[in-house]
Amino acid sequence: MRIRLVNPNTTESMTATIGRSAAAVAGPLTLVEAVNPTMGPASIESHYEEALAVPGLLEQVALGELDGVDAYVIACFGDPGLDAAREIARGPVLGIAEAGMHAASMLGRSFGIVTTLDRTVGRARELVQRYGFADVCSSIRACEIPVLELDDPASDARGRVVEECRRVLDTGADAVLLGCAGMADLCHWVSDEIGAPVVDGVAAATVLAESLVRLRLATGKRGEYAFPPAKEMSGLLAPFERGAVAVR
Amino acid sequence: MRIRLVNPNTTESMTATIGRSAAAVAGPLTLVEAVNPTMGPASIESHYEEALAVPGLLEQVALGELDGVDAYVIACFGDPGLDAAREIARGPVLGIAEAGMHAASMLGRSFGIVTTLDRTVGRARELVQRYGFADVCSSIRACEIPVLELDDPASDARGRVVEECRRVLDTGADAVLLGCAGMADLCHWVSDEIGAPVVDGVAAATVLAESLVRLRLATGKRGEYAFPPAKEMSGLLAPFERGAVAVR
Amino acid sequence: MRIRLVNPNTTESMTATIGRSAAAVAGPLTLVEAVNPTMGPASIESHYEEALAVPGLLEQVALGELDGVDAYVIACFGDPGLDAAREIARGPVLGIAEAGMHAASMLGRSFGIVTTLDRTVGRARELVQRYGFADVCSSIRACEIPVLELDDPASDARGRVVEECRRVLDTGADAVLLGCAGMADLCHWVSDEIGAPVVDGVAAATVLAESLVRLRLATGKRGEYAFPPAKEMSGLLAPFERGAVAVR
Amino acid sequence: MRIRLVNPNTTESMTATIGRSAAAVAGPLTLVEAVNPTMGPASIESHYEEALAVPGLLEQVALGELDGVDAYVIACFGDPGLDAAREIARGPVLGIAEAGMHAASMLGRSFGIVTTLDRTVGRARELVQRYGFADVCSSIRACEIPVLELDDPASDARGRVVEECRRVLDTGADAVLLGCAGMADLCHWVSDEIGAPVVDGVAAATVLAESLVRLRLATGKRGEYAFPPAKEMSGLLAPFERGAVAVR
Amino acid sequence: MRIRLVNPNTTESMTATIGRSAAAVAGPLTLVEAVNPTMGPASIESHYEEALAVPGLLEQVALGELDGVDAYVIACFGDPGLDAAREIARGPVLGIAEAGMHAASMLGRSFGIVTTLDRTVGRARELVQRYGFADVCSSIRACEIPVLELDDPASDARGRVVEECRRVLDTGADAVLLGCAGMADLCHWVSDEIGAPVVDGVAAATVLAESLVRLRLATGKRGEYAFPPAKEMSGLLAPFERGAVAVR
Amino acid sequence: MRIRLVNPNTTESMTATIGRSAAAVAGPLTLVEAVNPTMGPASIESHYEEALAVPGLLEQVALGELDGVDAYVIACFGDPGLDAAREIARGPVLGIAEAGMHAASMLGRSFGIVTTLDRTVGRARELVQRYGFADVCSSIRACEIPVLELDDPASDARGRVVEECRRVLDTGADAVLLGCAGMADLCHWVSDEIGAPVVDGVAAATVLAESLVRLRLATGKRGEYAFPPAKEMSGLLAPFERGAVAVR
């Protein structure tokens, strides 16, 4: 079984972190590949960057279809391009926010989310509602740490993440979901610090994608998520016309 | 890794079906055990029977804790006793309705449910709301087949299941969830018939329980789901006092 | 008219308190009976105990059916076994959380709940949603007093209840609902202290049950709440097979 | 105990019907009075008429306060003027839609409503949402009978009401709520015809108002429903300034 | 194009403020008229006053129909009589709460409301839910200033409004809606003070009413909002029978 | 005042239709410009195409900022790129689905939507929920007409649109919203055919954008919609780094 994790930004060190996090939980017979696009933003902290990350992400999915990939994970907490990727892939596609919320909701009555910048909270709330967790998610808190600072050893980022996780528990949550792919390797450490389950969306999406493949389940293709119709694509994005054709 | 599936009714042939369904999807290093209580109803088709199935189910979980079981699946579509089982188990506990809904919701915009008797639809709807899938579940349909007739080769049960699944697709659903543990072995056949993904809750709960264990996640134990306090238990149910103590 | 209040735990002093609270509000022609099971937990402060209180509760309802009881009240704020009791009784069945919420919602725009232990808040929230009061219930607060301590004259329980009621009013609530049958006799005293209406679920359920009988209304029996089908019941719970038969 | 039912339209024959329906269910020590305003519309079948029925209704409540009335029922299914009446009355005030929905919701999982004209369905739906019954009310159907035709022996109104009640049951409802005070005396007959519980809001409101008085509960007066401030009132409505003062 | 703003209270200085606020934003070809009734309360700060303001408001709409008015604005934040006015007017009718919420919701993810007295918050919340903004409105705060004090130069009303607007922004709102027609002329000043968009419902309703007229859109007249049926109207309100007839 | 409508697909005849529809309703002092990107899909009928239309759309908004545009309309019913456009524009940005829903909701209790292909219904439903109209939108129906066929005189597209609009009215809707920018010039004709208000999102968004500018309102810039941070952008999309810088 081959599962491809697509980091939708172009920062390769983050792709490597994501790949390690996924490999640590994947089953013995599963090949996990972490990739990133060759185009787009270095990190995603605004709707503008999220929108511009999507073409490169879709290119990686289209390439995966040529390679016979069985399932995909979109490794950014805004779940960018999820619906479009579901249309062009044969197998299941999961966002890490989606997968993390599903996993966290099975650990008790409610969970909370700790994310990076305050400006990303709106998108997190939108996803909480779309996936059905509005009554289950007790709070969403930002720790005001830019994505790329999470890796900086000189930063007090880890301490601030723990502090916000504790505040989430104070709202009555049974578990905490980390709201950024860049937090993946903090997961077990934070859990030990706060004495409560902590979910990393990257790892959760990896095992849930594996699960769906083992269940022989994939996106339903009779309606909204049927392969897109053939369509003229022009200008800078003309290559995506071929891409779309290729995946069918 | 050991995962215990508890069929909360006392019908052993159904326990065997459930065990086969789970074993077919579990990973190579996972030991799957299907058990059923020694007390309670032969099948569950009413709130009364569901309530009376719970003590036997909890006994099986308490025994599992003594045996070092890693995770539990409650293999009845009403998810009976789920909150109580989460309190007394160290590891994760999943209901098959819960797990099936989570899996089905990742296959597109919406899913529908096909269950057995019309009188069970109310409970299914209650669970849909509790887990957050009220906007995601497009319809719940009953095929008016008693649970124990599903196995009867002389019955036209299979045809009626397919017919109701087709009606569910007509409401715009991308996938169908089978609403009874006794339908587990129909899953792939029905999917081929209707040309859309069909989810069996037993298999889904098995792989999701495995997933949570691999993620080192379990029920949060700081609040609502902490182990129950020591408490006097009297009469017919006096043995459950010892059971409760034993699991801590 | 005969109304039976079932205290689902086995503590007889609490049954007596419940009986007094009900008798104080029942009409002149109404016979109020407070009973408790002979099996199960001494008090209910966890999902585990709630689940194990249900068989004894259902036995009391089945006995009531033999005695010609007109309506039932389940006198525990988690409303345990409500759906099952509705199936086996001819007349109406009310939970005290359910009845208390209905009464409290008629006193203004919103109400709040003050309950015992923090670990019971999750169940209270679940019931608030099931009965439709999610937008009407402004807050649920626990005073961290174990059920059986409410009666202890040496405890400062009463003061802590008043304090939490005041906090509920600060959230804008027009009324407060007491979230435990054991608080029944505090009701008027707390109301005087805080200067706002305070609802005791036991009294509310008693008069609402009477009301339904006077309106000649009972649970609808054409669908979900029809009498349960005949079904084999085995082991420790075998007596419940007869019970179920007896009520039809 | 004195309970005043205010029929907000000026049709005295309907007031008499309402009074009979209430008297039939009130307790032996309760005095039930049915009154109607001296100003306003002959029946209420539009928002315009509902709005113009409110001053006369409030006058009746103000007079009731001078008379020492203990509780009020607003006997029109749109619950006109409910919030305003709650402000000026010391005791509880119930609308018949409100009371009927509370009663119907205690009879099973869901209920449906059968009302008069299709143009009143929007208001019924608004009330269903305000009181919290959006998930509990399975359908609202109109039988296209003007209010004042319900009494006409030459009309086939009764047959059409039964027909729409049957359609409501087909949506899975456990009970039916009649959506017009003018249907009060059809209630038991329709219930026998369709074999399911049928709720008349007038009778339901009468016994629930009695219940609240017996529980010594009334509208919370610390916030939104405090008595209105003294205020100049001019023109045609100048008498209402005195009325408002009188009730305090 | 003629747009009539109806201030539903009888205070003419407030009518003048409303008229200025509307004229400042109306298009060059639009005639804006601000009127108030000759009957009813001097200001609206309770449900009682709101109910008694409606007849005079409806009279102004009926007169407007005789005058060929194209659209109406109800200039009180409780949107009193909106449904009734929609029935009797040919053109569109907007409430200032309604219009203000629509405008505010287009400025980001969420908005908050700052209103006058705490006792009006309940009605504001009811309107938020009716119009669909329950998830979009992050908070509703009162500054405890009576309506008629807003104009008093000796009062610190303006400072308190700014303070509450800042608290609304702290809840994460992108914009603030002022919850009283009497705050109309504070709008741009408050916006400059807090550095965020501030919406005045009077101005918003004026331009939205103009917009609907330019789009040639008006209330749908096939169902709930059809002109009211002819109906006898008696007593003090008898003149309203003629009024209703006149508008058709 | 300058308002720029961006047709996010590259079909210039559709851009011209959109421009005419907007110009017909804009005020006398408003300059309306309809533009389309130089890159991307010829029409948008899938999530894949919607995602790939966004970069070209954002380029047009960035160019508009250089040109001093006052407000933007995104003229595709999926409202693609709305959040990102709000981040990079100083003035207000409206989607035509968003604006059309706001306008339609002011015409009565509820509206319905008639869209093109069935596969687009899911996205329409998602937007209905995001903007708060889940209880207000009574149905969404597709007429199975590809976007570019709407202009084809040989097609029976217009008849099918009318037919679906009639079905929407049968669900009790007071008004109909056309769910495609390509239907803009059908609006008044369909309204005459069905005898009910019909809303074209393009015209609605044009007048609402004008309204917001006249109210001096724009997207709140203190939180989620602040201008995006400076960020490296690479590969095919490198030009968008400059674009983002340019707009600040």
Side-chain angles (χ1 to χ4, degrees):
Chain A
M1 190 195 312
R2 290 179 64 188
I3 296 183
R4 178 167 291 187
L5 289 95
V6 186
N7 169 20
N9 72 41
T10 58
T11 299
E12 293 184 2
S13 63
M14 210 164 142
T15 309
T17 301
I18 287 166
R20 276 194 307 273
S21 174
V25 295
L29 304 176
T30 301
L31 179 63
V32 166
E33 311 161 333
V35 301
N36 60 254
T38 59
M39 65 181 90
S43 69
I44 301 179
E45 293 165 321
S46 66
H47 296 293
Y48 180 79
E49 290 151 12
E50 190 176 308
L52 292 171
V54 172
L57 161 79
L58 294 176
E59 184 191 41
Q60 294 303 315
V61 175
L63 292 171
E65 290 297 290
L66 296 175
D67 286 358
V69 165
D70 292 294
Y72 300 86
V73 169
I74 299 176
C76 168
F77 202 78
D79 290 357
L82 179 60
D83 284 322
R86 278 190 175 145
E87 284 179 335
I88 64 171
R90 280 170 307 236
V93 184
L94 290 179
I96 66 167
E98 179 187 36
M101 291 179 201
H102 283 284
S105 76
M106 299 180 212
L107 306 176
R109 177 80 56 189
S110 66
F111 64 85
I113 298 174
V114 172
T115 183
T116 53
L117 299 184
D118 194 56
R119 69 180 297 158
T120 67
V121 168
R123 176 66 178 158
R125 189 170 301 131
E126 187 178 4
L127 293 177
V128 162
Q129 280 192 305
R130 166 163 176 181
Y131 301 134
F133 299 112
D135 290 334
V136 176
C137 176
S138 63
S139 68
I140 306 177
R141 299 191 62 87
C143 47
E144 282 314 297
I145 305 169
V147 172
L148 299 181
E149 193 189 313
L150 286 166
D151 264 351
D152 178 354
S155 153
D156 66 338
R158 292 171 156 248
R160 277 187 281 160
V161 170
V162 166
E163 190 182 337
E164 293 303 329
C165 287
R166 289 208 173 105
R167 288 196 183 138
V168 157
L169 291 183
D170 289 345
T171 66
D174 297 298
V176 182
L177 171 59
L178 298 179
C180 178
M183 294 177 178
D185 52 6
L186 300 183
C187 178
H188 296 303
W189 178 79
V190 175
S191 177
D192 289 346
E193 287 290 306
I194 66 170
V198 175
V199 180
D200 158 38
V202 174
T206 304
V207 292
L208 292 188
E210 256 194 289
S211 294
L212 293 178
V213 175
R214 272 205 264 144
L215 293 169
R216 291 196 252 158
L217 291 171
T219 307
K221 285 289 179 184
R222 292 167 50 106
E224 181 176 352
Y225 297 98
F227 293 106
K231 191 73 59 74
E232 188 196 327
M233 195 76 65
S234 56
L236 206 63
L237 295 169
F240 283 87
E241 188 173 350
R242 292 193 299 278
V245 171
V247 300
R248 266 165 299 144
Chain B
M1 191 194 311
R2 290 179 63 189
I3 296 183
R4 178 167 292 185
L5 289 94
V6 187
N7 169 18
N9 72 40
T10 58
T11 299
E12 293 183 2
S13 63
M14 207 163 145
T15 310
T17 303
I18 288 165
R20 276 194 307 274
S21 175
V25 295
L29 303 176
T30 301
L31 179 62
V32 165
E33 312 162 331
V35 300
N36 59 254
T38 58
M39 64 182 92
S43 69
I44 301 178
E45 293 166 320
S46 67
H47 296 293
Y48 180 78
E49 291 150 13
E50 191 175 308
L52 293 171
V54 172
L57 162 78
L58 294 175
E59 184 190 42
Q60 295 303 314
V61 174
L63 291 171
E65 289 298 289
L66 296 175
D67 286 359
V69 165
D70 292 295
Y72 300 86
V73 169
I74 299 176
C76 167
F77 202 77
D79 290 358
L82 179 60
D83 284 321
R86 277 188 177 148
E87 284 179 335
I88 63 170
R90 278 170 308 236
V93 184
L94 291 178
I96 64 167
E98 179 186 36
M101 291 179 201
H102 283 283
S105 76
M106 299 181 212
L107 306 177
R109 176 80 56 190
S110 68
F111 65 85
I113 298 174
V114 172
T115 183
T116 52
L117 298 185
D118 193 55
R119 71 180 297 158
T120 68
V121 168
R123 176 68 178 157
R125 189 170 299 133
E126 187 178 3
L127 293 177
V128 162
Q129 280 191 307
R130 167 161 176 183
Y131 300 134
F133 299 112
D135 291 333
V136 175
C137 176
S138 63
S139 69
I140 307 176
R141 300 190 61 87
C143 48
E144 283 310 301
I145 305 169
V147 172
L148 299 181
E149 192 189 313
L150 285 166
D151 263 352
D152 178 354
S155 152
D156 66 339
R158 291 169 158 250
R160 277 187 280 160
V161 170
V162 166
E163 191 183 335
E164 292 303 329
C165 287
R166 290 207 172 104
R167 288 195 184 140
V168 157
L169 292 182
D170 289 345
T171 66
D174 297 299
V176 182
L177 171 60
L178 298 179
C180 178
M183 294 177 178
D185 52 6
L186 300 184
C187 177
H188 296 303
W189 177 79
V190 175
S191 177
D192 289 346
E193 287 291 306
I194 66 171
V198 175
V199 180
D200 159 38
V202 174
T206 304
V207 294
L208 292 188
E210 255 193 290
S211 295
L212 294 178
V213 175
R214 272 206 264 143
L215 295 169
R216 292 197 250 158
L217 291 171
T219 306
K221 283 289 178 185
R222 292 167 50 106
E224 182 177 352
Y225 297 98
F227 293 106
K231 192 74 59 76
E232 188 196 327
M233 195 78 63
S234 58
L236 206 62
L237 295 170
F240 282 87
E241 188 175 352
R242 292 193 299 278
V245 171
V247 302
R248 265 167 295 145
Chain C
M1 190 195 311
R2 290 178 65 189
I3 296 184
R4 179 166 291 186
L5 289 95
V6 187
N7 168 20
N9 72 41
T10 58
T11 299
E12 293 184 2
S13 63
M14 208 163 145
T15 309
T17 302
I18 287 166
R20 276 194 308 274
S21 175
V25 296
L29 304 176
T30 302
L31 180 64
V32 166
E33 311 162 332
V35 300
N36 61 253
T38 58
M39 66 182 89
S43 70
I44 301 179
E45 294 166 321
S46 67
H47 296 294
Y48 180 77
E49 290 150 13
E50 190 175 307
L52 292 172
V54 172
L57 161 78
L58 294 175
E59 184 191 39
Q60 295 302 316
V61 175
L63 291 171
E65 290 298 289
L66 296 174
D67 287 357
V69 165
D70 292 294
Y72 300 86
V73 169
I74 299 177
C76 168
F77 202 78
D79 291 357
L82 180 60
D83 284 322
R86 279 190 174 144
E87 284 178 334
I88 64 170
R90 280 170 306 236
V93 184
L94 291 179
I96 65 168
E98 180 187 36
M101 291 179 200
H102 283 283
S105 75
M106 298 181 212
L107 307 177
R109 177 81 55 191
S110 66
F111 65 86
I113 298 174
V114 172
T115 183
T116 52
L117 299 183
D118 194 57
R119 68 180 299 159
T120 68
V121 168
R123 176 66 178 158
R125 190 170 298 133
E126 187 178 4
L127 293 178
V128 162
Q129 281 192 306
R130 167 162 175 183
Y131 301 134
F133 299 112
D135 291 335
V136 175
C137 177
S138 64
S139 67
I140 307 177
R141 299 190 62 86
C143 47
E144 282 313 297
I145 304 169
V147 171
L148 298 181
E149 192 188 313
L150 286 166
D151 264 351
D152 179 354
S155 153
D156 67 339
R158 293 171 155 247
R160 277 187 280 160
V161 169
V162 166
E163 191 182 335
E164 293 304 329
C165 287
R166 290 209 172 103
R167 287 195 184 138
V168 157
L169 291 183
D170 289 345
T171 65
D174 297 297
V176 182
L177 171 59
L178 298 180
C180 177
M183 295 178 179
D185 52 7
L186 300 184
C187 178
H188 295 303
W189 177 79
V190 176
S191 177
D192 289 345
E193 288 290 306
I194 66 170
V198 175
V199 180
D200 159 38
V202 174
T206 303
V207 294
L208 293 187
E210 255 193 290
S211 294
L212 294 177
V213 174
R214 273 206 263 142
L215 294 169
R216 291 196 251 158
L217 291 171
T219 306
K221 284 288 179 185
R222 291 167 51 105
E224 182 176 352
Y225 297 98
F227 293 106
K231 191 74 58 77
E232 187 196 327
M233 195 79 62
S234 57
L236 206 61
L237 295 169
F240 284 86
E241 189 174 353
R242 292 194 298 279
V245 171
V247 302
R248 266 166 296 144
Chain D
M1 191 195 311
R2 290 179 63 189
I3 296 183
R4 180 166 290 185
L5 289 94
V6 187
N7 169 18
N9 71 40
T10 58
T11 299
E12 293 184 2
S13 63
M14 208 162 144
T15 309
T17 302
I18 288 165
R20 277 194 307 273
S21 175
V25 295
L29 303 176
T30 302
L31 178 63
V32 165
E33 312 161 333
V35 300
N36 60 253
T38 58
M39 66 182 89
S43 68
I44 301 179
E45 294 166 321
S46 67
H47 296 293
Y48 180 77
E49 290 151 12
E50 190 175 309
L52 292 172
V54 172
L57 162 78
L58 294 175
E59 185 191 38
Q60 294 302 315
V61 174
L63 291 172
E65 288 299 289
L66 295 175
D67 286 358
V69 165
D70 292 296
Y72 300 87
V73 169
I74 298 176
C76 167
F77 203 77
D79 291 356
L82 179 60
D83 284 322
R86 278 189 175 146
E87 283 178 335
I88 63 169
R90 279 171 306 236
V93 184
L94 291 179
I96 64 168
E98 180 187 36
M101 290 179 200
H102 283 283
S105 76
M106 299 180 212
L107 307 177
R109 177 80 56 190
S110 66
F111 64 86
I113 298 174
V114 172
T115 184
T116 52
L117 298 183
D118 194 55
R119 69 181 296 158
T120 68
V121 168
R123 176 68 178 157
R125 189 171 300 132
E126 187 178 3
L127 294 177
V128 162
Q129 280 191 308
R130 166 161 174 183
Y131 301 133
F133 299 112
D135 290 335
V136 175
C137 176
S138 64
S139 68
I140 307 177
R141 299 190 62 87
C143 48
E144 282 311 298
I145 304 170
V147 171
L148 299 183
E149 193 189 313
L150 286 166
D151 265 350
D152 179 355
S155 153
D156 66 338
R158 292 171 157 249
R160 276 186 281 159
V161 170
V162 166
E163 190 182 336
E164 292 304 329
C165 287
R166 290 208 172 103
R167 287 195 184 140
V168 157
L169 292 182
D170 289 346
T171 65
D174 297 298
V176 182
L177 171 60
L178 298 180
C180 178
M183 295 177 178
D185 52 6
L186 300 183
C187 177
H188 296 304
W189 178 78
V190 175
S191 177
D192 289 346
E193 287 291 306
I194 67 171
V198 175
V199 180
D200 159 39
V202 174
T206 303
V207 294
L208 292 188
E210 255 194 290
S211 295
L212 293 178
V213 175
R214 273 207 263 143
L215 294 169
R216 292 197 251 156
L217 292 172
T219 307
K221 284 288 178 184
R222 291 167 52 105
E224 181 176 355
Y225 297 98
F227 293 106
K231 192 72 61 73
E232 187 196 327
M233 194 80 60
S234 56
L236 206 61
L237 295 170
F240 283 88
E241 189 175 351
R242 292 192 297 278
V245 170
V247 302
R248 268 167 292 143
Chain E
M1 190 196 309
R2 289 179 65 190
I3 296 184
R4 179 166 291 185
L5 289 94
V6 187
N7 169 19
N9 71 41
T10 58
T11 299
E12 294 184 1
S13 63
M14 209 164 143
T15 310
T17 302
I18 287 166
R20 276 193 307 274
S21 174
V25 296
L29 304 176
T30 302
L31 179 63
V32 165
E33 310 161 334
V35 300
N36 59 253
T38 59
M39 66 181 89
S43 70
I44 300 178
E45 293 166 321
S46 67
H47 296 293
Y48 180 77
E49 290 150 13
E50 190 175 309
L52 292 171
V54 171
L57 161 78
L58 293 175
E59 184 191 40
Q60 294 303 314
V61 174
L63 291 171
E65 289 298 288
L66 296 175
D67 286 357
V69 165
D70 292 295
Y72 300 86
V73 169
I74 298 176
C76 168
F77 203 78
D79 291 358
L82 179 59
D83 283 323
R86 278 189 175 145
E87 284 179 334
I88 64 170
R90 281 170 306 237
V93 184
L94 290 179
I96 64 167
E98 179 187 35
M101 291 179 200
H102 283 284
S105 76
M106 299 181 211
L107 306 176
R109 177 81 55 191
S110 67
F111 64 85
I113 297 174
V114 172
T115 183
T116 52
L117 299 185
D118 194 56
R119 69 181 296 158
T120 68
V121 168
R123 176 67 178 157
R125 189 171 300 132
E126 187 178 3
L127 293 177
V128 162
Q129 280 191 306
R130 166 161 175 184
Y131 301 134
F133 298 113
D135 290 335
V136 175
C137 176
S138 64
S139 68
I140 306 177
R141 298 190 64 86
C143 47
E144 281 313 297
I145 304 169
V147 171
L148 299 181
E149 192 189 313
L150 286 166
D151 265 350
D152 180 354
S155 152
D156 67 337
R158 293 172 155 246
R160 277 187 280 159
V161 170
V162 166
E163 191 183 336
E164 293 303 329
C165 287
R166 289 208 173 103
R167 287 195 185 141
V168 157
L169 291 183
D170 289 346
T171 65
D174 297 298
V176 182
L177 171 59
L178 298 180
C180 177
M183 294 178 179
D185 52 6
L186 300 183
C187 177
H188 296 305
W189 178 79
V190 176
S191 177
D192 289 347
E193 288 290 305
I194 65 170
V198 176
V199 180
D200 159 38
V202 174
T206 303
V207 293
L208 293 188
E210 255 194 289
S211 294
L212 294 178
V213 175
R214 273 207 262 143
L215 294 170
R216 292 196 250 159
L217 291 172
T219 306
K221 284 288 180 186
R222 292 167 50 105
E224 182 177 352
Y225 297 99
F227 293 106
K231 190 74 59 77
E232 188 196 326
M233 195 78 62
S234 57
L236 207 62
L237 295 170
F240 283 87
E241 188 173 353
R242 293 193 297 278
V245 171
V247 302
R248 266 165 294 146
Chain F
M1 191 195 309
R2 291 178 63 188
I3 296 183
R4 178 165 292 184
L5 289 94
V6 187
N7 168 19
N9 72 40
T10 58
T11 300
E12 293 183 2
S13 63
M14 209 163 144
T15 309
T17 302
I18 287 166
R20 276 194 309 273
S21 174
V25 295
L29 304 175
T30 303
L31 179 64
V32 165
E33 312 162 331
V35 301
N36 60 253
T38 58
M39 64 182 91
S43 70
I44 302 178
E45 294 166 320
S46 67
H47 297 293
Y48 181 78
E49 290 150 14
E50 189 175 308
L52 293 171
V54 172
L57 161 79
L58 293 175
E59 185 191 40
Q60 294 302 315
V61 174
L63 291 171
E65 289 298 287
L66 296 174
D67 287 357
V69 165
D70 292 295
Y72 300 85
V73 169
I74 299 177
C76 167
F77 202 77
D79 290 357
L82 179 60
D83 284 323
R86 278 190 174 143
E87 284 179 335
I88 64 170
R90 279 171 308 236
V93 184
L94 290 179
I96 64 167
E98 180 187 35
M101 291 179 201
H102 283 285
S105 76
M106 298 181 214
L107 306 176
R109 178 80 55 188
S110 67
F111 65 85
I113 297 174
V114 171
T115 183
T116 52
L117 298 184
D118 194 56
R119 71 181 294 159
T120 69
V121 168
R123 176 67 178 157
R125 188 170 300 133
E126 187 178 3
L127 293 177
V128 162
Q129 280 192 306
R130 166 161 175 183
Y131 301 135
F133 299 112
D135 290 335
V136 175
C137 176
S138 64
S139 67
I140 306 175
R141 299 190 61 88
C143 49
E144 283 311 299
I145 305 169
V147 172
L148 299 181
E149 192 189 313
L150 286 166
D151 264 350
D152 178 355
S155 152
D156 68 339
R158 291 169 156 250
R160 275 187 282 160
V161 170
V162 166
E163 191 183 336
E164 293 304 329
C165 286
R166 290 209 171 104
R167 287 193 185 143
V168 157
L169 291 183
D170 289 346
T171 66
D174 296 298
V176 182
L177 171 60
L178 298 179
C180 177
M183 294 177 178
D185 52 6
L186 300 184
C187 177
H188 295 302
W189 178 79
V190 175
S191 177
D192 289 346
E193 288 290 307
I194 67 171
V198 175
V199 180
D200 159 38
V202 174
T206 303
V207 293
L208 292 188
E210 255 193 290
S211 294
L212 293 178
V213 174
R214 273 207 263 143
L215 295 168
R216 292 196 252 157
L217 292 171
T219 307
K221 284 289 180 185
R222 291 167 51 105
E224 182 176 353
Y225 297 98
F227 294 105
K231 193 71 60 75
E232 188 196 328
M233 196 77 63
S234 57
L236 206 61
L237 294 169
F240 283 86
E241 189 173 351
R242 291 193 299 277
V245 170
V247 300
R248 266 164 295 146

